[in-house]
Amino acid sequence: MPDLMAVLLATLVAGTPLVYAALGELVTERAGVLNLGVEGMMVVGAVIGFIVMLNTNSLMLAMGAAAASGAVLGFGFSVLAVSLMANQIAVGLALTIFATSLGSYLGRPYVGMALVLEPSAIMQLAGEIPLLGLVLGGLHPLVWLSWVLFGGVWFFLYRTRAGLILRAIGEAPESAHAIGYPVIRIRYLATMFGAAMAGIAGAFVSVIYTSLWTEGLIAGRGWIAVALVVFATWRPGRCVAGAYLFGGVTIAQLFAQGAWAAVPSELMSALPYLATIVVLVLISRDAARMRLSVPASLGKPFST
């Protein structure tokens, strides 16, 4: 029987990239922009973060560079899909294909290389906190920051005027524009924020979770993040729950591979994706609630 605390910590770490990516995509879609380029942005963020970490040994620079690379891709997406009003689905798919190829090209010299991370002094201090130290001391500070991000996104969307404006733009951009709100600028900012979070999510996978670079490292996590937002009915809490569900099944299948050696490993590796989608479909099977939850202008172009 594996140690339950170790399984819990591993689940939280495995789900963290999806927390970053899904919350970023949620903010983007709440503004009425459907960005299907999350997978590609995670790939580029992963390779940029890995390269910067390998050459500077600075986690802050690595995460900053990954976020910046994602934001640049998000800006390019916004130019095409928001300003030029190209089909958002087509732009997102094209961006994923382009960014995945770019990530493979940039990462080719680094395939097989691994990072050696030094123990975090903050983790050691956190481990000495009574009661909470057992959990906090075993988790990287970027996992803690994902919880802060969740709280920040929830507070922004539901407790601030700026969040109310963003949601209004996602529902009725023409009305928001008529009373003076800059719809295009806000959609740019929301898209670049979501893209930056996707870049950090990718860097978390390559720098913290695996500490190495190889082809196919992201392995569809960007698509799972997009699906999480939809099946979570655009609610931050459900996004986080879905992310940790994926992390839990990922860890469970690793133990199952050892117990059921006769089952092909490729089939076992697909279980987290299948289980996450099945569970999310079951909890969001209320079609009426789904229709009421989706931002009314999602995926629709806006012109002044």
Side-chain angles (χ1 to χ4, degrees), residues 173-246:
E174 292 81 8
S175 300
H177 174 71
I179 57 179
Y181 293 122
V183 174
I184 299 296
R185 187 194 311 167
I186 290 175
R187 284 190 166 182
Y188 262 73
L189 292 175
T191 304
M192 291 174 66
F193 171 79
M197 292 302 103
I200 291 177
F204 185 93
V205 175
S206 63
V207 176
I208 305 299
Y209 188 52
T210 63
S211 297
L212 59 83
W213 174 254
T214 185
E215 291 283 346
L217 187 65
I218 299 304
R221 288 180 175 84
W223 298 116
I224 288 291
V226 175
L228 278 179
V229 176
V230 176
F231 291 125
T233 58
W234 292 268
R235 298 180 182 178
R238 288 189 176 189
C239 279
V240 173
Y244 288 140
L245 169 66
F246 178 86

Coordinates of all heavy atoms in Angstrom, one line a residue, residues 173-246:
P173 N -20.6 42.0 -25.9 CA -19.6 43.0 -26.2 C -20.1 44.3 -26.8 O -19.6 45.4 -26.6 CB -18.7 42.2 -27.2 CG -19.5 41.1 -27.7 CD -20.5 40.8 -26.6
E174 N -21.2 44.2 -27.6 CA -21.8 45.4 -28.2 C -22.3 46.3 -27.1 O -22.1 47.6 -27.2 CB -22.9 45.0 -29.2 CG -22.5 44.3 -30.4 CD -22.3 42.8 -30.2 OE1 -22.6 42.3 -29.1 OE2 -21.7 42.1 -31.1
S175 N -23.0 45.8 -26.1 CA -23.5 46.6 -25.0 C -22.4 47.2 -24.2 O -22.4 48.4 -23.8 CB -24.4 45.8 -24.1 OG -25.5 45.3 -24.8
A176 N -21.3 46.4 -23.9 CA -20.2 46.9 -23.2 C -19.5 48.1 -24.0 O -19.1 49.1 -23.4 CB -19.2 45.8 -22.9
H177 N -19.4 47.9 -25.3 CA -18.7 48.9 -26.1 C -19.6 50.2 -26.1 O -19.1 51.3 -26.1 CB -18.6 48.4 -27.5 CG -18.0 49.5 -28.5 ND1 -16.8 50.0 -28.4 CD2 -18.7 50.1 -29.5 CE1 -16.6 50.9 -29.4 NE2 -17.8 51.0 -30.0
A178 N -20.9 50.0 -26.1 CA -21.8 51.2 -26.2 C -21.7 52.1 -25.0 O -22.0 53.3 -25.0 CB -23.3 50.7 -26.4
I179 N -21.4 51.5 -23.8 CA -21.3 52.3 -22.6 C -19.8 52.7 -22.3 O -19.5 53.1 -21.2 CB -21.9 51.6 -21.4 CG1 -21.3 50.2 -21.2 CG2 -23.4 51.5 -21.6 CD1 -21.8 49.5 -19.9
G180 N -18.9 52.4 -23.3 CA -17.6 53.0 -23.2 C -16.5 52.1 -22.8 O -15.3 52.6 -22.6
Y181 N -16.7 50.8 -22.7 CA -15.6 49.9 -22.3 C -14.8 49.5 -23.5 O -15.4 49.1 -24.6 CB -16.2 48.7 -21.6 CG -16.8 49.0 -20.3 CD1 -18.1 48.7 -20.0 CD2 -16.0 49.7 -19.3 CE1 -18.7 49.0 -18.8 CE2 -16.6 50.0 -18.1 CZ -17.9 49.7 -17.8 OH -18.5 50.0 -16.6
P182 N -13.4 49.4 -23.4 CA -12.6 49.0 -24.6 C -12.6 47.5 -24.8 O -11.7 46.8 -24.3 CB -11.2 49.5 -24.1 CG -11.2 49.5 -22.6 CD -12.7 49.8 -22.2
V183 N -13.5 47.0 -25.5 CA -13.7 45.6 -25.7 C -12.4 44.9 -26.3 O -11.9 43.9 -25.8 CB -14.9 45.3 -26.6 CG1 -15.0 43.8 -26.9 CG2 -16.2 45.8 -26.0
I184 N -11.9 45.5 -27.4 CA -10.7 44.9 -28.0 C -9.5 44.9 -27.1 O -8.9 43.8 -27.0 CB -10.4 45.8 -29.3 CG1 -11.5 45.8 -30.3 CG2 -9.1 45.2 -29.9 CD1 -11.9 44.4 -30.8
R185 N -9.3 46.0 -26.4 CA -8.1 46.0 -25.5 C -8.3 44.9 -24.4 O -7.3 44.2 -24.0 CB -8.0 47.4 -24.8 CG -6.7 47.5 -24.0 CD -6.7 48.8 -23.1 NE -7.1 50.0 -23.9 CZ -7.5 51.1 -23.3 NH1 -7.5 51.2 -22.0 NH2 -7.8 52.1 -24.0
I186 N -9.5 44.8 -23.8 CA -9.7 43.9 -22.7 C -9.5 42.4 -23.2 O -9.0 41.6 -22.6 CB -11.0 44.1 -22.1 CG1 -11.0 45.4 -21.3 CG2 -11.4 43.0 -21.1 CD1 -12.3 45.9 -20.7
R187 N -10.0 42.2 -24.4 CA -9.9 40.8 -25.0 C -8.4 40.5 -25.3 O -8.0 39.4 -25.1 CB -10.7 40.7 -26.3 CG -12.2 40.6 -26.0 CD -13.0 40.2 -27.3 NE -14.3 39.7 -26.9 CZ -15.2 39.3 -27.7 NH1 -15.0 39.3 -29.0 NH2 -16.4 38.9 -27.3
Y188 N -7.6 41.5 -25.7 CA -6.2 41.3 -25.9 C -5.6 40.9 -24.5 O -4.8 40.0 -24.4 CB -5.5 42.6 -26.4 CG -5.3 42.6 -27.9 CD1 -6.3 42.8 -28.8 CD2 -4.0 42.5 -28.4 CE1 -6.1 42.9 -30.1 CE2 -3.8 42.6 -29.8 CZ -4.8 42.7 -30.6 OH -4.6 42.8 -32.0
L189 N -5.9 41.7 -23.5 CA -5.2 41.5 -22.2 C -5.6 40.1 -21.6 O -4.8 39.4 -21.1 CB -5.6 42.6 -21.2 CG -5.1 44.0 -21.5 CD1 -5.6 45.0 -20.6 CD2 -3.5 43.9 -21.4
A190 N -6.9 39.7 -21.8 CA -7.4 38.4 -21.3 C -6.7 37.3 -22.0 O -6.3 36.3 -21.4 CB -8.9 38.3 -21.4
T191 N -6.6 37.4 -23.3 CA -5.9 36.4 -24.1 C -4.4 36.3 -23.7 O -3.9 35.1 -23.6 CB -6.1 36.7 -25.6 OG1 -7.5 36.8 -25.9 CG2 -5.5 35.6 -26.4
M192 N -3.8 37.4 -23.6 CA -2.3 37.3 -23.2 C -2.1 36.8 -21.8 O -1.2 36.1 -21.6 CB -1.7 38.7 -23.4 CG -1.6 39.2 -24.9 SD -1.1 40.9 -25.1 CE 0.6 40.8 -24.5
F193 N -3.0 37.1 -20.9 CA -2.9 36.5 -19.6 C -3.1 35.0 -19.6 O -2.3 34.3 -19.0 CB -4.0 37.1 -18.7 CG -4.1 36.4 -17.3 CD1 -3.2 36.7 -16.3 CD2 -5.1 35.5 -17.1 CE1 -3.3 36.0 -15.1 CE2 -5.2 34.8 -15.9 CZ -4.3 35.1 -14.9
G194 N -4.1 34.5 -20.4 CA -4.3 33.1 -20.5 C -3.1 32.4 -21.1 O -2.7 31.3 -20.7
A195 N -2.5 33.1 -22.1 CA -1.4 32.5 -22.8 C -0.1 32.5 -21.9 O 0.6 31.5 -21.9 CB -1.1 33.3 -24.1
A196 N 0.0 33.5 -21.1 CA 1.2 33.5 -20.2 C 1.0 32.4 -19.1 O 2.0 31.7 -18.8 CB 1.2 34.9 -19.4
M197 N -0.2 32.1 -18.7 CA -0.4 31.0 -17.7 C -0.1 29.7 -18.4 O 0.4 28.8 -17.8 CB -1.9 31.1 -17.2 CG -2.2 32.3 -16.3 SD -1.1 32.4 -14.8 CE 0.0 33.7 -15.3
A198 N -0.5 29.6 -19.7 CA -0.2 28.3 -20.4 C 1.3 28.1 -20.5 O 1.9 27.0 -20.4 CB -0.8 28.4 -21.8
G199 N 2.1 29.2 -20.7 CA 3.5 29.1 -20.8 C 4.1 28.7 -19.4 O 5.0 27.8 -19.4
I200 N 3.6 29.2 -18.3 CA 4.1 28.8 -17.0 C 3.7 27.3 -16.8 O 4.5 26.6 -16.2 CB 3.4 29.7 -15.9 CG1 4.0 31.1 -16.0 CG2 3.7 29.1 -14.5 CD1 3.4 32.1 -15.1
A201 N 2.5 26.9 -17.2 CA 2.1 25.5 -17.0 C 3.1 24.6 -17.8 O 3.5 23.6 -17.2 CB 0.7 25.3 -17.6
G202 N 3.5 25.0 -19.0 CA 4.4 24.2 -19.7 C 5.8 24.1 -19.0 O 6.4 23.0 -18.9
A203 N 6.3 25.3 -18.5 CA 7.6 25.3 -17.9 C 7.5 24.5 -16.6 O 8.5 23.9 -16.2 CB 7.9 26.8 -17.6
F204 N 6.4 24.5 -15.9 CA 6.3 23.7 -14.7 C 6.5 22.2 -15.0 O 7.2 21.5 -14.3 CB 4.9 23.9 -14.1 CG 4.7 23.1 -12.7 CD1 5.0 23.8 -11.5 CD2 4.3 21.8 -12.7 CE1 4.8 23.1 -10.3 CE2 4.2 21.1 -11.5 CZ 4.4 21.8 -10.3
V205 N 6.0 21.7 -16.2 CA 6.1 20.3 -16.5 C 7.6 20.0 -16.8 O 8.1 19.0 -16.3 CB 5.3 20.0 -17.8 CG1 5.6 18.6 -18.3 CG2 3.8 20.2 -17.5
S206 N 8.3 20.9 -17.6 CA 9.6 20.6 -18.0 C 10.7 20.9 -16.9 O 11.7 20.2 -16.8 CB 10.0 21.4 -19.3 OG 10.0 22.8 -19.0
V207 N 10.4 21.9 -16.1 CA 11.4 22.3 -15.0 C 11.2 21.6 -13.7 O 12.1 21.1 -13.1 CB 11.4 23.8 -14.9 CG1 12.4 24.2 -13.8 CG2 11.8 24.5 -16.2
I208 N 9.9 21.6 -13.2 CA 9.6 21.1 -11.9 C 9.2 19.6 -11.9 O 9.7 18.8 -11.2 CB 8.5 21.9 -11.2 CG1 9.0 23.4 -11.2 CG2 8.3 21.4 -9.8 CD1 10.2 23.7 -10.5
Y209 N 8.2 19.3 -12.8 CA 7.5 18.0 -12.7 C 8.4 16.9 -13.2 O 8.6 15.8 -12.6 CB 6.2 18.0 -13.5 CG 5.4 16.8 -13.4 CD1 5.0 16.3 -12.2 CD2 4.9 16.1 -14.5 CE1 4.3 15.1 -12.0 CE2 4.1 15.0 -14.4 CZ 3.8 14.5 -13.2 OH 3.0 13.3 -13.1
T210 N 9.1 17.1 -14.4 CA 10.0 16.0 -15.0 C 11.4 16.4 -14.9 O 12.3 15.5 -14.9 CB 9.6 15.8 -16.4 OG1 9.8 17.0 -17.2 CG2 8.1 15.4 -16.6
S211 N 11.7 17.7 -14.9 CA 13.1 18.3 -14.9 C 13.9 17.7 -16.0 O 15.1 17.4 -15.9 CB 13.8 17.9 -13.5 OG 13.2 18.6 -12.5
L212 N 13.3 17.5 -17.2 CA 14.0 17.1 -18.4 C 13.3 17.6 -19.6 O 12.1 18.1 -19.5 CB 14.2 15.6 -18.4 CG 13.0 14.7 -18.4 CD1 12.3 14.6 -19.8 CD2 13.3 13.3 -17.8
W213 N 13.9 17.5 -20.8 CA 13.3 17.9 -22.0 C 13.3 16.7 -23.0 O 14.3 16.1 -23.2 CB 13.9 19.1 -22.7 CG 13.3 19.3 -24.0 CD1 13.8 19.1 -25.3 CD2 11.9 19.8 -24.3 NE1 12.9 19.4 -26.2 CE2 11.7 19.8 -25.7 CE3 10.9 20.2 -23.4 CZ2 10.6 20.3 -26.2 CZ3 9.7 20.6 -24.0 CH2 9.6 20.7 -25.4
T214 N 12.1 16.4 -23.5 CA 12.0 15.3 -24.5 C 10.8 15.7 -25.4 O 9.9 16.5 -25.0 CB 11.9 14.0 -23.9 OG1 11.9 13.0 -24.9 CG2 10.5 13.9 -23.2
E215 N 10.8 15.1 -26.6 CA 9.7 15.3 -27.5 C 8.4 14.8 -26.9 O 8.4 13.7 -26.2 CB 9.9 14.6 -28.8 CG 11.0 15.2 -29.7 CD 10.6 16.4 -30.4 OE1 9.4 16.7 -30.5 OE2 11.5 17.1 -30.9
G216 N 7.3 15.5 -27.1 CA 6.0 15.1 -26.6 C 5.8 15.2 -25.1 O 5.0 14.5 -24.5
L217 N 6.5 16.1 -24.5 CA 6.5 16.2 -23.0 C 5.1 16.6 -22.5 O 4.7 16.2 -21.5 CB 7.6 17.1 -22.6 CG 7.8 17.2 -21.1 CD1 8.3 15.9 -20.5 CD2 8.8 18.4 -20.7
I218 N 4.5 17.6 -23.2 CA 3.2 18.1 -22.8 C 2.1 17.1 -22.9 O 1.2 17.0 -22.1 CB 2.9 19.4 -23.6 CG1 4.0 20.5 -23.3 CG2 1.6 20.0 -23.1 CD1 4.2 20.8 -21.8
A219 N 2.2 16.3 -24.0 CA 1.3 15.1 -24.1 C -0.2 15.4 -24.0 O -0.9 14.7 -23.3 CB 1.7 14.0 -23.0
G220 N -0.6 16.5 -24.6 CA -2.1 16.7 -24.7 C -2.7 17.4 -23.4 O -3.9 17.6 -23.3
R221 N -1.8 17.9 -22.5 CA -2.3 18.6 -21.3 C -3.1 19.9 -21.7 O -4.0 20.3 -21.0 CB -1.2 18.8 -20.3 CG -0.7 17.6 -19.6 CD 0.4 18.0 -18.6 NE 0.9 16.9 -17.8 CZ 1.8 16.0 -18.2 NH1 2.4 16.1 -19.4 NH2 2.2 15.0 -17.4
G222 N -2.6 20.5 -22.8 CA -3.3 21.7 -23.2 C -4.7 21.5 -23.6 O -5.6 22.3 -23.3
W223 N -4.9 20.4 -24.3 CA -6.3 20.1 -24.8 C -7.2 19.7 -23.5 O -8.3 20.0 -23.5 CB -6.3 18.9 -25.7 CG -5.5 19.2 -27.0 CD1 -4.4 18.6 -27.5 CD2 -5.9 20.2 -28.0 NE1 -4.0 19.2 -28.7 CE2 -4.9 20.1 -29.0 CE3 -6.9 21.1 -28.1 CZ2 -4.9 21.0 -30.1 CZ3 -7.0 21.9 -29.2 CH2 -6.0 21.8 -30.2
I224 N -6.6 19.0 -22.6 CA -7.3 18.7 -21.4 C -7.7 20.0 -20.6 O -8.8 20.1 -20.1 CB -6.5 17.8 -20.4 CG1 -6.4 16.4 -21.0 CG2 -7.1 17.7 -19.0 CD1 -7.7 15.6 -21.0
A225 N -6.8 21.0 -20.6 CA -7.1 22.2 -20.0 C -8.3 22.9 -20.6 O -9.2 23.5 -19.9 CB -5.9 23.1 -20.0
V226 N -8.3 22.9 -22.0 CA -9.4 23.5 -22.7 C -10.7 22.8 -22.3 O -11.8 23.4 -22.1 CB -9.2 23.5 -24.2 CG1 -10.4 24.0 -24.9 CG2 -8.0 24.4 -24.5
A227 N -10.7 21.4 -22.3 CA -11.9 20.6 -22.0 C -12.3 20.9 -20.6 O -13.5 20.9 -20.3 CB -11.6 19.2 -22.2
L228 N -11.4 21.1 -19.7 CA -11.7 21.3 -18.3 C -12.6 22.6 -18.1 O -13.6 22.6 -17.4 CB -10.5 21.5 -17.4 CG -9.7 20.2 -16.9 CD1 -8.5 20.6 -16.1 CD2 -10.7 19.4 -16.1
V229 N -12.2 23.6 -18.9 CA -12.9 24.9 -18.8 C -14.4 24.7 -19.2 O -15.3 25.2 -18.5 CB -12.3 26.0 -19.6 CG1 -13.1 27.3 -19.6 CG2 -10.9 26.2 -19.1
V230 N -14.6 23.9 -20.3 CA -15.9 23.7 -20.8 C -16.8 22.9 -19.9 O -17.9 23.3 -19.4 CB -15.9 23.1 -22.2 CG1 -17.3 22.8 -22.7 CG2 -15.2 24.0 -23.2
F231 N -16.2 21.7 -19.5 CA -17.0 20.8 -18.6 C -17.1 21.4 -17.2 O -18.0 20.9 -16.5 CB -16.3 19.5 -18.6 CG -16.4 18.7 -19.9 CD1 -15.2 18.3 -20.5 CD2 -17.6 18.5 -20.5 CE1 -15.3 17.6 -21.8 CE2 -17.7 17.9 -21.7 CZ -16.6 17.4 -22.4
A232 N -16.3 22.3 -16.8 CA -16.4 22.9 -15.5 C -17.4 24.1 -15.5 O -17.5 24.8 -14.5 CB -15.0 23.4 -15.0
T233 N -18.0 24.3 -16.7 CA -19.0 25.3 -16.9 C -18.5 26.7 -16.5 O -19.1 27.5 -15.8 CB -20.3 25.1 -16.1 OG1 -20.1 24.9 -14.7 CG2 -21.0 23.8 -16.6
W234 N -17.2 26.9 -16.8 CA -16.5 28.2 -16.7 C -16.5 28.7 -15.2 O -16.6 29.9 -14.9 CB -17.2 29.3 -17.6 CG -17.0 29.0 -19.0 CD1 -15.9 29.4 -19.8 CD2 -17.7 28.1 -19.9 NE1 -16.0 28.9 -21.1 CE2 -17.1 28.1 -21.2 CE3 -18.9 27.3 -19.7 CZ2 -17.6 27.3 -22.2 CZ3 -19.4 26.6 -20.7 CH2 -18.8 26.6 -22.0
R235 N -16.3 27.7 -14.3 CA -16.2 28.0 -12.9 C -14.8 27.7 -12.4 O -14.4 26.5 -12.6 CB -17.3 27.3 -12.1 CG -18.7 27.6 -12.5 CD -19.7 26.9 -11.7 NE -21.1 27.2 -12.1 CZ -22.2 26.7 -11.6 NH1 -22.0 25.8 -10.6 NH2 -23.3 27.0 -12.0
P236 N -14.1 28.6 -11.7 CA -12.7 28.3 -11.3 C -12.6 27.1 -10.4 O -11.7 26.3 -10.5 CB -12.3 29.6 -10.6 CG -13.2 30.7 -11.2 CD -14.5 30.0 -11.5
G237 N -13.6 26.9 -9.4 CA -13.5 25.8 -8.5 C -13.5 24.5 -9.2 O -12.8 23.6 -8.8
R238 N -14.4 24.4 -10.1 CA -14.5 23.1 -10.9 C -13.3 22.8 -11.7 O -12.9 21.7 -11.9 CB -15.8 23.1 -11.7 CG -17.1 23.0 -10.9 CD -18.3 22.8 -11.9 NE -19.5 22.6 -11.1 CZ -20.7 22.2 -11.7 NH1 -20.7 22.0 -13.0 NH2 -21.7 22.1 -11.0
C239 N -12.7 23.9 -12.3 CA -11.5 23.7 -13.0 C -10.4 23.1 -12.2 O -9.7 22.2 -12.6 CB -11.0 25.1 -13.6 SG -11.9 25.6 -15.1
V240 N -10.2 23.6 -11.0 CA -9.2 23.1 -10.1 C -9.5 21.7 -9.7 O -8.6 20.8 -9.7 CB -9.1 24.0 -8.8 CG1 -8.1 23.4 -7.8 CG2 -8.6 25.4 -9.2
A241 N -10.8 21.4 -9.4 CA -11.1 20.0 -9.0 C -10.8 19.1 -10.2 O -10.3 18.0 -10.0 CB -12.6 20.0 -8.6
G242 N -11.2 19.5 -11.4 CA -10.9 18.6 -12.6 C -9.4 18.4 -12.8 O -9.0 17.3 -13.2
A243 N -8.6 19.5 -12.5 CA -7.1 19.4 -12.7 C -6.6 18.3 -11.7 O -5.7 17.5 -12.1 CB -6.5 20.7 -12.5
Y244 N -7.0 18.4 -10.5 CA -6.5 17.4 -9.5 C -7.1 16.0 -9.7 O -6.5 15.0 -9.4 CB -6.9 17.9 -8.1 CG -6.0 19.1 -7.7 CD1 -6.5 20.1 -7.0 CD2 -4.7 19.1 -8.0 CE1 -5.8 21.2 -6.6 CE2 -3.9 20.2 -7.7 CZ -4.4 21.3 -7.0 OH -3.6 22.3 -6.6
L245 N -8.3 15.9 -10.3 CA -8.8 14.6 -10.7 C -7.9 14.0 -11.7 O -7.5 12.8 -11.6 CB -10.2 14.8 -11.3 CG -10.8 13.5 -12.0 CD1 -11.0 12.4 -11.0 CD2 -12.1 13.8 -12.7
F246 N -7.4 14.8 -12.7 CA -6.5 14.3 -13.7 C -5.2 13.9 -13.1 O -4.6 12.8 -13.4 CB -6.2 15.4 -14.8 CG -5.2 15.0 -15.8 CD1 -5.6 14.3 -17.0 CD2 -3.9 15.3 -15.7 CE1 -4.7 14.0 -17.9 CE2 -3.0 15.0 -16.7 CZ -3.4 14.3 -17.8

